[in-house]
Amino acid sequence: MTSPAPPPTSDGPRLRVDAERNRQRIIAAARLAFAELGVDVPMEDIARRAGVGVGTLYRRYPTRADLVAATFETKMTAYADAARQALADPDPWHGFRDFVEQICAMQAGDRGFTTVLTMTFPTAKRFEADRARAYADFIALVDRAKAAGKLRADFVTEDMPMFLMANAGVLAATADAAPETWRRLVGYLLQACAVPAAQPLPDPPTAGQIYRAMLRTTHQQRDGQDPSD
Protein backbone atom coordinates (compact mmCIF):
# COMPACT_ATOMS: atom_id res chain seq x y z
CA MET A 1 0.00 0.00 0.00
CA THR A 2 1.46 3.32 -1.02
CA SER A 3 1.54 6.25 1.34
CA PRO A 4 -0.65 9.20 0.40
CA ALA A 5 1.14 12.14 -1.15
CA PRO A 6 1.75 15.01 1.25
CA PRO A 7 -0.69 17.88 0.91
CA PRO A 8 0.45 20.69 -1.33
CA THR A 9 2.17 23.51 0.47
CA SER A 10 1.99 27.18 -0.28
CA ASP A 11 5.33 27.95 1.41
CA GLY A 12 7.18 28.21 -1.90
CA PRO A 13 4.90 30.80 -3.54
CA ARG A 14 4.40 32.58 -0.23
CA LEU A 15 8.14 32.86 0.34
CA ARG A 16 8.60 34.20 -3.16
CA VAL A 17 5.91 36.79 -2.53
CA ASP A 18 7.57 37.78 0.75
CA ALA A 19 10.97 38.02 -0.92
CA GLU A 20 9.59 40.23 -3.68
CA ARG A 21 7.84 42.42 -1.14
CA ASN A 22 11.09 42.81 0.79
CA ARG A 23 12.96 43.62 -2.42
CA GLN A 24 10.51 46.36 -3.26
CA ARG A 25 10.70 47.80 0.25
CA ILE A 26 14.50 47.78 0.19
CA ILE A 27 14.66 49.50 -3.22
CA ALA A 28 12.08 52.11 -2.18
CA ALA A 29 13.97 52.85 1.05
CA ALA A 30 17.34 53.00 -0.73
CA ARG A 31 15.96 55.29 -3.42
CA LEU A 32 14.77 57.81 -0.84
CA ALA A 33 17.92 57.54 1.28
CA PHE A 34 20.28 57.93 -1.69
CA ALA A 35 18.29 60.89 -3.05
CA GLU A 36 18.37 62.67 0.31
CA LEU A 37 21.84 61.79 1.60
CA GLY A 38 23.90 60.29 -1.21
CA VAL A 39 24.96 56.73 -1.87
CA ASP A 40 27.09 56.31 1.27
CA VAL A 41 24.11 55.97 3.61
CA PRO A 42 24.84 53.08 6.02
CA MET A 43 23.28 49.82 4.88
CA GLU A 44 21.85 49.43 8.39
CA ASP A 45 19.95 52.68 7.95
CA ILE A 46 18.45 51.48 4.68
CA ALA A 47 17.40 48.18 6.29
CA ARG A 48 15.76 50.11 9.13
CA ARG A 49 13.91 52.37 6.70
CA ALA A 50 12.74 49.32 4.75
CA GLY A 51 11.60 47.52 7.87
CA VAL A 52 13.75 44.46 7.20
CA GLY A 53 16.71 42.87 8.93
CA VAL A 54 20.23 43.70 7.82
CA GLY A 55 20.73 40.03 6.99
CA THR A 56 17.75 40.14 4.64
CA LEU A 57 19.21 43.16 2.88
CA TYR A 58 22.64 41.55 2.47
CA ARG A 59 21.19 38.27 1.22
CA ARG A 60 19.48 40.17 -1.56
CA TYR A 61 22.29 42.70 -2.20
CA PRO A 62 25.65 41.36 -0.95
CA THR A 63 27.50 44.63 -1.65
CA ARG A 64 26.66 48.33 -1.66
CA ALA A 65 27.40 48.41 -5.39
CA ASP A 66 24.76 45.74 -5.99
CA LEU A 67 22.18 47.81 -4.12
CA VAL A 68 23.18 51.07 -5.81
CA ALA A 69 22.97 49.53 -9.29
CA ALA A 70 19.56 47.99 -8.57
CA THR A 71 18.24 51.22 -7.06
CA PHE A 72 19.37 53.43 -9.93
CA GLU A 73 18.58 51.03 -12.76
CA THR A 74 15.35 52.80 -13.67
CA LYS A 75 17.06 56.20 -13.34
CA MET A 76 19.82 55.13 -15.73
CA THR A 77 17.20 53.87 -18.17
CA ALA A 78 15.45 57.26 -17.94
CA TYR A 79 18.82 58.94 -18.56
CA ALA A 80 19.37 56.85 -21.69
CA ASP A 81 15.80 57.37 -22.85
CA ALA A 82 16.21 61.14 -22.47
CA ALA A 83 19.19 61.07 -24.82
CA ARG A 84 17.30 58.92 -27.34
CA GLN A 85 14.27 61.23 -27.25
CA ALA A 86 16.48 64.30 -27.65
CA LEU A 87 18.13 62.72 -30.66
CA ALA A 88 14.71 62.14 -32.22
CA ASP A 89 13.80 65.84 -31.94
CA PRO A 90 13.64 67.32 -35.46
CA ASP A 91 15.29 70.51 -34.16
CA PRO A 92 18.92 69.63 -33.20
CA TRP A 93 19.36 72.62 -30.90
CA HIS A 94 16.02 72.07 -29.18
CA GLY A 95 16.95 68.42 -28.60
CA PHE A 96 20.35 69.32 -27.15
CA ARG A 97 18.90 72.02 -24.91
CA ASP A 98 16.11 69.78 -23.62
CA PHE A 99 18.55 66.98 -22.83
CA VAL A 100 20.83 69.23 -20.77
CA GLU A 101 17.85 70.69 -18.91
CA GLN A 102 16.35 67.27 -18.23
CA ILE A 103 19.57 65.73 -16.91
CA CYS A 104 20.21 68.72 -14.65
CA ALA A 105 16.63 68.39 -13.40
CA MET A 106 17.24 64.70 -12.65
CA GLN A 107 20.32 65.76 -10.72
CA ALA A 108 18.35 68.37 -8.78
CA GLY A 109 15.83 65.74 -7.76
CA ASP A 110 18.32 63.10 -6.66
CA ARG A 111 21.53 63.83 -4.82
CA GLY A 112 22.93 60.37 -5.57
CA PHE A 113 22.49 60.58 -9.33
CA THR A 114 25.71 62.43 -10.14
CA THR A 115 27.70 60.08 -7.93
CA VAL A 116 26.31 57.05 -9.74
CA LEU A 117 27.39 58.49 -13.09
CA THR A 118 31.01 58.26 -11.86
CA MET A 119 30.65 54.61 -10.82
CA THR A 120 30.80 51.44 -12.89
CA PHE A 121 28.89 48.23 -12.22
CA PRO A 122 30.41 45.41 -14.33
CA THR A 123 27.87 42.82 -13.16
CA ALA A 124 24.85 45.08 -13.82
CA LYS A 125 24.56 44.40 -17.54
CA ARG A 126 21.38 46.38 -18.17
CA PHE A 127 22.67 49.35 -16.19
CA GLU A 128 25.94 49.49 -18.13
CA ALA A 129 24.16 48.94 -21.46
CA ASP A 130 21.92 51.93 -20.75
CA ARG A 131 24.96 54.03 -19.82
CA ALA A 132 26.70 53.11 -23.09
CA ARG A 133 23.52 53.85 -25.06
CA ALA A 134 23.17 57.26 -23.41
CA TYR A 135 26.78 58.18 -24.13
CA ALA A 136 26.59 57.14 -27.79
CA ASP A 137 23.37 59.10 -28.29
CA PHE A 138 24.82 62.16 -26.55
CA ILE A 139 27.79 62.14 -28.93
CA ALA A 140 25.39 61.94 -31.86
CA LEU A 141 23.27 64.72 -30.32
CA VAL A 142 26.31 67.00 -30.02
CA ASP A 143 27.49 66.25 -33.57
CA ARG A 144 24.01 66.91 -34.98
CA ALA A 145 23.64 70.25 -33.18
CA LYS A 146 27.07 71.32 -34.40
CA ALA A 147 26.30 70.27 -37.97
CA ALA A 148 23.14 72.37 -37.84
CA GLY A 149 25.22 75.39 -36.90
CA LYS A 150 23.45 75.76 -33.54
CA LEU A 151 26.00 74.43 -31.03
CA ARG A 152 29.38 76.06 -30.70
CA ALA A 153 32.06 74.10 -32.54
CA ASP A 154 34.39 73.78 -29.54
CA PHE A 155 31.85 72.08 -27.27
CA VAL A 156 33.17 68.68 -26.15
CA THR A 157 31.48 65.80 -24.34
CA GLU A 158 33.60 66.51 -21.24
CA ASP A 159 31.71 69.79 -20.90
CA MET A 160 28.57 67.94 -19.78
CA PRO A 161 30.17 66.49 -16.61
CA MET A 162 31.57 69.96 -15.96
CA PHE A 163 28.02 71.35 -16.17
CA LEU A 164 26.84 68.69 -13.72
CA MET A 165 29.62 69.50 -11.26
CA ALA A 166 28.78 73.21 -11.47
CA ASN A 167 25.12 72.42 -11.00
CA ALA A 168 25.93 70.20 -8.01
CA GLY A 169 27.70 73.11 -6.36
CA VAL A 170 24.74 75.45 -6.87
CA LEU A 171 22.32 72.78 -5.63
CA ALA A 172 24.37 72.22 -2.48
CA ALA A 173 24.64 75.96 -1.76
CA THR A 174 21.01 76.90 -2.43
CA ALA A 175 19.02 73.75 -1.56
CA ASP A 176 17.34 75.23 1.52
CA ALA A 177 17.22 78.92 0.68
CA ALA A 178 16.56 79.04 -3.09
CA PRO A 179 16.10 75.52 -4.47
CA GLU A 180 15.23 76.64 -8.01
CA THR A 181 18.44 78.62 -8.52
CA TRP A 182 19.98 75.78 -10.55
CA ARG A 183 17.55 76.55 -13.39
CA ARG A 184 19.11 79.99 -13.86
CA LEU A 185 22.60 78.49 -13.93
CA VAL A 186 21.55 76.00 -16.59
CA GLY A 187 19.99 78.82 -18.59
CA TYR A 188 23.29 80.70 -18.55
CA LEU A 189 25.23 77.59 -19.54
CA LEU A 190 22.95 76.87 -22.46
CA GLN A 191 23.18 80.44 -23.71
CA ALA A 192 26.96 80.10 -23.63
CA CYS A 193 26.67 76.94 -25.75
CA ALA A 194 24.73 78.66 -28.53
CA VAL A 195 26.67 79.74 -31.62
CA PRO A 196 25.62 83.44 -31.50
CA ALA A 197 27.15 83.77 -28.02
CA ALA A 198 30.29 81.80 -28.79
CA GLN A 199 33.63 83.36 -27.93
CA PRO A 200 37.02 81.58 -27.80
CA LEU A 201 37.46 79.34 -24.76
CA PRO A 202 40.52 77.90 -23.02
CA ASP A 203 41.36 74.31 -23.90
CA PRO A 204 38.97 71.76 -22.36
CA PRO A 205 40.10 69.15 -19.84
CA THR A 206 40.79 65.64 -21.09
CA ALA A 207 38.35 62.83 -20.43
CA GLY A 208 40.70 61.43 -17.77
CA GLN A 209 41.07 64.77 -16.04
CA ILE A 210 37.32 65.40 -15.88
CA TYR A 211 36.69 61.88 -14.58
CA ARG A 212 39.24 62.32 -11.79
CA ALA A 213 37.68 65.68 -10.94
CA MET A 214 34.24 64.10 -10.70
CA LEU A 215 35.57 61.38 -8.41
CA ARG A 216 37.30 63.95 -6.20
CA THR A 217 34.14 66.04 -5.94
CA THR A 218 32.09 62.95 -5.15
CA HIS A 219 34.46 61.85 -2.40
CA GLN A 220 34.52 65.31 -0.84
CA GLN A 221 30.74 65.51 -0.86
CA ARG A 222 30.58 62.09 0.80
CA ASP A 223 32.99 63.26 3.49
CA GLY A 224 31.10 66.51 4.05
CA GLN A 225 33.93 68.69 2.75
CA ASP A 226 33.67 71.81 0.61
CA PRO A 227 35.07 70.87 -2.86
CA SER A 228 36.74 74.27 -3.02
CA ASP A 229 38.91 73.52 0.04
Side-chain angles (χ1 to χ4, degrees):
M1 181 177 179
T2 59
S3 300
T9 175
S10 61
D11 285 353
R14 180 178 62 79
L15 288 175
R16 287 194 293 272
V17 170
D18 288 346
E20 176 59 19
R21 184 182 300 114
N22 285 339
R23 185 194 70 81
Q24 292 177 2
R25 291 166 69 179
I26 290 168
I27 291 297
R31 187 174 291 123
L32 288 174
F34 291 158
E36 294 169 7
L37 304 170
V39 298
D40 282 336
V41 177
M43 298 286 270
E44 293 78 7
D45 186 31
I46 293 172
R48 178 184 57 77
R49 289 178 180 228
V52 303
V54 175
T56 297
L57 189 155
Y58 276 110
R59 278 193 298 273
R60 185 77 197 196
Y61 303 105
T63 69
R64 179 181 298 276
D66 292 329
L67 178 59
V68 170
T71 302
F72 283 93
E73 187 174 72
T74 56
K75 182 64 68 76
M76 183 57 75
T77 298
Y79 176 62
D81 288 347
R84 183 61 51 88
Q85 291 165 8
L87 197 56
D89 193 312
D91 183 330
W93 173 250
H94 187 269
F96 174 84
R97 187 193 67 199
D98 278 5
F99 176 75
V100 173
E101 290 176 343
Q102 188 169 348
I103 299 312
C104 288
M106 290 173 66
Q107 182 186 27
D110 192 332
R111 182 176 171 181
F113 180 61
T114 306
T115 302
V116 170
L117 291 178
T118 71
M119 302 169 69
T120 57
F121 305 93
T123 62
K125 302 303 182 185
R126 177 181 168 184
F127 187 97
E128 291 302 325
D130 280 338
R131 185 207 302 276
R133 177 164 65 94
Y135 184 67
D137 284 348
F138 181 60
I139 291 175
L141 187 65
V142 168
D143 290 344
R144 195 173 70 121
K146 287 182 179 180
K150 302 294 185 179
L151 177 63
R152 57 186 305 147
D154 55 358
F155 182 91
V156 294
T157 55
E158 288 76 28
D159 287 333
M160 187 65 197
M162 182 178 69
F163 287 3
L164 291 175
M165 285 189 286
N167 196 39
V170 169
L171 287 167
T174 64
D176 295 331
E180 296 299 305
T181 303
W182 68 272
R183 296 184 185 278
R184 186 171 178 85
L185 170 70
V186 174
Y188 273 126
L189 294 174
L190 286 170
Q191 286 186 37
C193 288
V195 165
Q199 296 293 327
L201 291 172
D203 292 338
T206 65
Q209 288 173 329
I210 202 71
Y211 182 71
R212 289 194 296 274
M214 290 179 70
L215 288 178
R216 179 175 180 270
T217 301
T218 295
H219 292 157
Q220 288 172 333
Q221 289 173 344
R222 290 179 183 179
D223 298 337
Q225 300 176 23
D226 183 340
S228 63
D229 289 346

